[in-house]
Amino acid sequence: MRNFKMTLSYDGSRYFGWERQPGKETIQGKLEAVLTRMCGVPVNVIGAGRTDAGVHARAMVANAYMDTDMEPEAIRDYLNHYLPDDIGVAEVKEAADRFHARYRAVGKLYTYTCYVGETKPVFNRKYVTVLDGKPDVEKMRKAAEFLVGEHDFRSFCANPQMKKSTVRIVDSIEIQQKKDLLYLNFHGTGFLQNMVRILTGTLLEVGFGKRSVASVKEVLEAKDRKLAGYTAPPQGLCLMRVDY
């Protein structure tokens, strides 16, 4: 058995997220179906993370152990031939036997993109969240400062039954506006379920004056999901990079 590392991108619009689910279209499910067909035996694909339904990725990383004589480039070409057009494999490499896409990851970069223009974003409408007005970016940046560092992010986790630790390290949050697009870049060691989308919703509430800058620190310390902001829609979120 050889261990292969795959880097892929996908438009998550029509999928129920990364993780395989019976009777539902998922990214992991599509990959496993094609690789199983290629190898003739079931193949388990391990992803660096579990993106939510409707969320996109520019460089998701996965690995799979396969009994095949095919070279990495041939596997890449096979995948690209049989996968749907909204999933693409940029690279396949043979990895060390102990490489694990999720456990070996040391950082991830997510970007949430909002549209703040005055007209309709026809051609990128599936990849942005349209805002009703322009938020105060400086207030959002000040609020984001409370969230950088190692904290218990339970208030920003969608799973109330989470039994594992909800402590995470967020290295940086950068908020930039370029013309009609507002980008929120989150880099950290790992993220909880819906965490980036809840952080985004909370910061946008600050930007629109629905909550104060200082309230974000209070929400963080309260460890109570009910006190945080709304969960921003999935289409604006994209996994940009996984670090190893």
Side-chain angles (χ1 to χ4, degrees), residues 62-133:
N63 75 288
Y65 292 91
M66 294 183 281
D67 186 6
T68 177
D69 293 328
M70 292 175 67
E71 291 303 310
E73 293 80 7
I75 295 172
R76 179 200 63 195
D77 294 344
Y78 187 96
L79 283 165
N80 283 328
H81 181 77
Y82 288 105
L83 283 169
D85 290 342
D86 49 11
I87 305 175
V89 179
E91 183 181 57
V92 175
K93 294 171 64 177
E94 189 161 359
D97 190 60
R98 297 186 64 173
F99 175 77
H100 190 287
R102 183 152 59 100
Y103 296 145
R104 292 288 181 177
V106 296
K108 292 173 187 166
L109 173 65
Y110 280 93
T111 296
Y112 196 96
T113 306
C114 301
Y115 181 79
V116 294
E118 296 179 357
T119 56
K120 294 167 71 174
V122 176
F123 295 108
N124 62 346
R125 67 190 185 283
K126 293 193 294 181
Y127 314 107
V128 301
T129 294
V130 179
L131 299 183
D132 186 16

Side-chain angles (χ1 to χ4, degrees), residues 147 150-157 159-162 164-168 192 215-228:
L147 302 168
E150 183 174 352
H151 303 288
D152 187 336
F153 285 96
R154 186 169 292 275
S155 291
F156 301 93
C157 178
N159 182 5
Q161 308 301 323
M162 185 77 169
K164 295 181 181 178
S165 172
T166 47
V167 174
R168 294 292 186 274
L192 303 164
S215 73
V216 173
K217 184 173 185 289
E218 296 166 4
V219 170
L220 184 65
E221 293 171 347
K223 302 181 183 64
D224 184 352
R225 169 67 187 98
K226 298 186 187 72
L227 298 180

Side-chain angles (χ1 to χ4, degrees), residues 7 9 13 20 29 37 46-47 62 67-68 86 96 98 103 116 125 131 160 172 183 197 205-206 218 225 237:
T7 304
S9 57
S13 301
R20 79 174 79 84
R37 174 180 176 177
I46 301 162
D67 186 6
T68 177
D86 49 11
R98 297 186 64 173
Y103 296 145
V116 294
R125 67 190 185 283
L131 299 183
S172 65
Y183 300 100
R197 291 165 59 194
E205 287 183 358
V206 171
E218 296 166 4
R225 169 67 187 98
L237 184 59

Side-chain angles (χ1 to χ4, degrees), residues 2-65:
R2 299 155 70 195
N3 189 16
F4 293 92
K5 175 185 176 184
M6 298 165 277
T7 304
L8 59 143
S9 57
Y10 51 84
D11 176 341
S13 301
R14 71 182 183 95
Y15 294 98
F16 288 85
W18 166 268
E19 192 173 16
R20 79 174 79 84
Q21 299 178 54
K24 292 185 176 180
E25 299 265 274
T26 69
I27 307 298
Q28 184 185 33
K30 288 291 185 186
L31 281 168
E32 290 180 343
V34 174
L35 290 173
T36 294
R37 174 180 176 177
M38 185 187 83
C39 294
V41 294
V43 174
N44 176 47
V45 174
I46 301 162
R50 299 171 181 174
T51 50
D52 304 326
V55 172
H56 318 292
R58 285 191 178 273
M60 169 64 90
V61 176
N63 75 288
Y65 292 91

